Amino acid sequence: RSIPHRWILTGTPCPEGEHEYFSQLCFLRGGAFGFRSFWDFRMHYMRPHPAGFGWVLKPGAPDHLRRVVGGTCCVLRRKDVGMERKKMYEQRTLQFPKEIQKIYDEAETRFILGKPGEDSKEAKALHDPEDLVADSTSTKWVTSVYIWLRRLCGGFLGDDLAWPGKLNELLDLLKGELKGEQTVVWCFFNNEVHAIRKMLQKNRISSTGWTGEDIPQERRARQKEFQAGKHQVLVIQQ
């Protein structure tokens, strides 16, 4: 209490809720919202959760707390500190080749992953669910089909690259409007990470990255290399 000036600087003042303002303001001023104890503050502004676990703010309390904070705290936006940069969002649409589109449609409608039109045992099994066997080319689970479709969107049929459309589009970007720019590429599957890294190496574009299989220490080391400008592209499995 003998320190004449106290400040708190934070980018996330209340990640769990407006009640978290109390402890910070109490540290600064010895009290907040008319109370010196969090427990007294909680009894006045909060009530037990209807489900019986934890506490929630009473109706109207969040608005009151925000007004107090707005009148006593200094709020800086990104542009106030020279960090404003307009974000550009661009969505690109690629068309599957006819054969890949057929495979996609077959997987989506018949839950079979394979070349369309095959008179396979999996296709026959679909007519009798009791005879359906679980293997790598047929399923009865929607979630499995979803993964198949996501992999196909990345160009992969199973573990094999069947369509390089997105790879070619990325390469065009890195050689065109993003030439020389540091770029982060997010992937959904490990296969995509490996394929992109291989493509970049072939085209002599410096890159680093990781998948979920890499340990945290390796990820941090590669992140620091990228942030230091040693690589143009960071390829990450999300």
Side-chain angles (χ1 to χ4, degrees):
R1 297 301 173 199
S2 62
I3 303 301
H5 302 290
R6 277 168 285 177
W7 292 80
I8 291 177
L9 178 64
T10 175
T12 53
C14 57
E16 300 293 336
E18 284 81 358
H19 64 279
E20 293 192 331
Y21 284 125
F22 177 85
S23 295
Q24 297 169 80
L25 296 181
C26 188
F27 164 77
L28 291 174
R29 300 180 175 86
F33 309 110
F35 299 95
R36 298 180 63 87
S37 162
F38 174 78
W39 313 114
D40 292 335
F41 162 81
R42 190 178 74 172
M43 288 298 296
H44 184 80
Y45 284 101
M46 306 181 74
R47 58 184 173 83
H49 192 282
F53 299 96
W55 293 69
V56 294
L57 289 170
K58 295 179 180 178
D63 292 335
H64 174 69
L65 299 184
R66 291 169 192 164
R67 284 195 296 270
V68 173
V69 171
T72 57
C73 299
C74 179
V75 180
L76 296 177
R77 296 165 295 180
R78 293 181 67 86
K79 68 178 183 179
D80 295 328
V81 292
M83 295 176 61
E84 184 181 32
R85 183 176 180 180
K86 187 177 181 180
K87 293 183 178 181
M88 301 294 293
Y89 294 93
E90 181 180 343
Q91 180 174 319
R92 297 183 173 225
T93 302
L94 304 180
Q95 183 63 48
F96 277 140
K98 186 178 295 185
E99 184 66 16
I100 300 298
Q101 185 65 57
K102 288 182 179 179
I103 295 173
Y104 187 99
D105 294 340
E106 186 88 350
E108 185 176 33
T109 59
R110 301 183 62 194
F111 288 30
I112 299 174
L113 184 65
K115 292 184 178 180
E118 286 185 341
D119 190 21
S120 61
K121 64 177 182 180
E122 291 83 7
K124 295 176 181 178
L126 285 182
H127 297 294
D128 186 356
E130 296 297 329
D131 295 333
L132 185 63
V133 292
D135 54 39
S136 60
T137 55
S138 66
T139 184
K140 60 181 179 179
W141 306 112
V142 174
T143 49
S144 297
V145 173
Y146 171 77
I147 297 298
W148 290 350
L149 301 182
R150 286 303 302 259
R151 290 173 71 86
L152 272 172
C153 287
F156 283 88
L157 182 58
D159 292 327
D160 300 323
L161 181 62
W163 173 62
K166 291 180 76 172
L167 289 177
N168 294 337
E169 186 75 8
L170 174 61
L171 185 60
D172 288 342
L173 280 169
L174 294 174
K175 286 186 173 182
E177 61 187 79
L178 296 179
K179 185 176 181 180
E181 295 283 345
Q182 278 199 295
T183 306
V184 179
V185 180
W186 292 94
C187 302
F188 202 78
F189 296 102
N190 291 344
N191 303 69
E192 296 170 346
V193 174
H194 300 317
I196 292 172
R197 294 288 308 281
K198 185 177 180 180
M199 177 199 69
L200 295 176
Q201 183 179 15
K202 182 179 179 180
N203 288 272
R204 298 183 179 181
I205 298 177
S206 177
S207 71
T208 187
W210 62 75
T211 67
E213 299 170 348
D214 295 309
I215 61 176
Q217 291 88 339
E218 292 176 341
R219 300 182 198 179
R220 283 194 292 269
R222 295 169 192 172
Q223 178 183 343
K224 289 180 179 179
E225 288 181 359
F226 175 74
Q227 291 176 323
K230 295 181 180 180
H231 303 284
Q232 180 186 343
V233 184
L234 177 66
V235 189
I236 315 174
Q237 192 272 340
Q238 62 183 6

